[in-house]
Every structure is written in C-alpha cells, then in structure tokens.
Amino acid sequence: MQGDIIRRLKINDQFQGARYELFVAATCVKAGFGIAYEDEKDKSKKHPEFIATHKETGQKIAVEAKSKHREGVLGQ
C-alpha cells in the first residue's frame, strides 16, 4: 500500500485524492483504530479504501474517502 500511495502522490491529477485518503487514515489512527487496506487491484467487487478496527472495542468500520476536485485547488 505504501508504494501505491507514494506513486499516486506524485501524479498531479491523483494527488488530491491520495492526500485526502492519508488524512482520513491518520484521523482513524488518532482515534484509536488499526487500519487494514483493501486490495484496490481486485476489480471483481466493490470495496472501501480500508477497514478500521478500534483497538479497545474491536468495532470495525468500512471507510471510503472521497475528495471533490475544485478548479484552482491543489493543481486542478
């Protein structure tokens, strides 16, 4: 996953989405969740960006991160 996110950060039209996904993942980690990324290459089914599991309660949530592109913002 790390190599994929670094690659996407270097591509101008993918930077904003990759940056936002990192923000969302970091927020979940700060809130006490562990992160398990989904296989983005598996096109046979729809899936979220990652599954976050709370370290104390074991509660799992599926997390999908979307960022809207706006003209003039972050290289758009």
Side-chain angles (χ1 to χ4, degrees), residues 50-67:
F50 58 85
I51 303 295
T53 305
H54 195 268
K55 293 178 181 177
E56 291 182 19
T57 66
Q59 180 181 13
K60 292 184 179 201
I61 57 173
V63 179
E64 181 68 31
K66 296 290 182 200
S67 177

Side-chain angles (χ1 to χ4, degrees), residues 4-61:
D4 184 53
I5 200 79
I6 291 171
R7 179 189 61 76
R8 290 180 53 220
L9 285 168
K10 293 177 181 180
I11 301 170
N12 195 37
D13 67 337
Q14 293 188 19
F15 174 80
Q16 182 177 336
R19 177 179 176 259
Y20 187 69
E21 286 175 29
L22 286 173
F23 166 75
V24 172
T27 302
C28 288
V29 169
K30 285 174 146 182
F33 287 83
I35 304 297
Y37 283 93
E38 293 286 306
D39 182 8
E40 300 256 343
K41 294 175 180 133
D42 178 11
K43 302 294 183 188
S44 66
K45 62 179 181 168
K46 292 184 179 183
H47 50 79
E49 252 66 70
F50 58 85
I51 303 295
T53 305
H54 195 268
K55 293 178 181 177
E56 291 182 19
T57 66
Q59 180 181 13
K60 292 184 179 201
I61 57 173

